[in-house]
């Protein structure tokens, strides 16, 4: 594997390298959301990327504004990423599956904060770009949700996920 990540554009990835690359990109996504650094999403998604979060769909060039709007009314979030598995297959592409568990905390005043916890799976396609690996496609499949959904006014629009486990499954985070 070339030491300089820019040289990866012409170097095929094995499964271990693909998983390491995917883990780095997806971790940066989680940290950007949790830090409220939505502009960093422009560096993680290709401008023409397709993202389907269940409750909404958008393109990569819209994602930063969409995420900022969705999280505006929250006090904090924490996205925990795990079970990242990647396989290089397509020319210039890496298919990735991962799990995420997100805790979203509202701004409610008084005794205790309202929060909701969501477990989901990400299915991504990463592509090599001039400035590194970027997400070209994202689909979010909900696993379960618990807590006060009222802190997420948009969440009622979420679709049911056909393959999700549990009775209160939904898509999106």
């Amino acid at each position: 594997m070339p030491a300089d990540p820019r040289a990866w554009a012409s170097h095929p990835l094995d499964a271990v390298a693909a998983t390491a690359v995917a883990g780095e990109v997806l971790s940066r996504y989680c940290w950007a959301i949790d830090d409220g650094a939505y502009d960093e999403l422009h560096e993680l998604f290709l401008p023409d990327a397709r993202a389907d979060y269940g409750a909404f769909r958008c393109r990569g060039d819209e994602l930063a504004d969409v995420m900022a709007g969705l999280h505006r009314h929250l006090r904090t979030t924490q996205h925990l990423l795990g079970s990242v598995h990647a396989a290089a297959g397509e020319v210039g592409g890496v298919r990735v599956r991962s799990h995420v568990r997100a805790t979203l905390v509202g701004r409610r005043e008084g005794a205790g904060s309202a929060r909701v916890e969501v477990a989901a799976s990400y299915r991504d396609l990463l592509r090599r770009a001039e400035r590194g690996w970027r997400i070209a496609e994202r689909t979010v499949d909900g696993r379960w949700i618990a807590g006060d959904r009222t802190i997420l006014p948009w969440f009622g629009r979420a679709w049911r996920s056909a393959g999700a486990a549990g009775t209160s499954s939904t898509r999106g985070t």
Side-chain angles (χ1 to χ4, degrees):
M1 177 65 58
D4 181 357
R6 290 172 292 190
W8 293 355
S10 62
H11 193 280
L13 292 178
D14 62 26
V16 172
T19 299
V21 165
E24 171 64 17
V25 171
L26 300 183
S27 292
R28 288 177 55 207
Y29 169 84
C30 291
W31 279 105
I33 297 291
D34 294 341
D35 289 345
Y38 304 109
D39 284 343
E40 291 180 18
L41 298 176
H42 293 296
E43 296 297 317
L44 298 174
F45 285 81
L46 291 171
D48 62 345
R50 292 176 292 148
D52 181 353
Y53 283 81
F56 61 92
R57 293 178 181 155
C58 61
R59 290 171 36 104
D61 58 356
E62 304 166 325
L63 196 70
D65 291 337
V66 169
M67 286 298 177
L70 292 175
H71 293 85
R72 173 178 302 129
H73 303 292
L74 298 174
R75 184 165 49 101
T76 191
T77 67
Q78 183 182 43
H79 289 71
L80 302 175
L81 182 71
S83 302
V84 178
H85 179 266
E90 298 182 31
V91 175
V94 173
R95 290 274 174 200
V96 185
R97 292 178 54 196
S98 60
H99 290 300
V100 64
R101 182 168 176 174
T103 301
L104 312 165
V105 181
R107 295 187 184 274
R108 180 182 292 164
E109 300 292 326
S113 296
R115 75 175 189 199
V116 65
E117 293 190 49
V118 179
S121 297
Y122 292 152
R123 287 183 288 129
D124 295 307
L125 172 64
L126 275 55
R127 293 216 182 271
R128 296 179 183 118
E130 185 177 320
R131 295 174 37 128
W133 289 91
R134 301 290 183 260
I135 300 170
E137 295 175 13
R138 162 158 289 175
T139 302
V140 179
D141 295 313
R143 297 288 175 167
W144 57 263
I145 180 171
D148 185 354
R149 296 181 196 202
T150 65
I151 66 171
L152 304 173
W154 54 269
F155 215 80
R157 297 190 316 254
W159 303 340
R160 291 276 179 206
S161 179
T167 58
S168 61
S169 59
T170 190
R171 293 180 60 189
T173 188

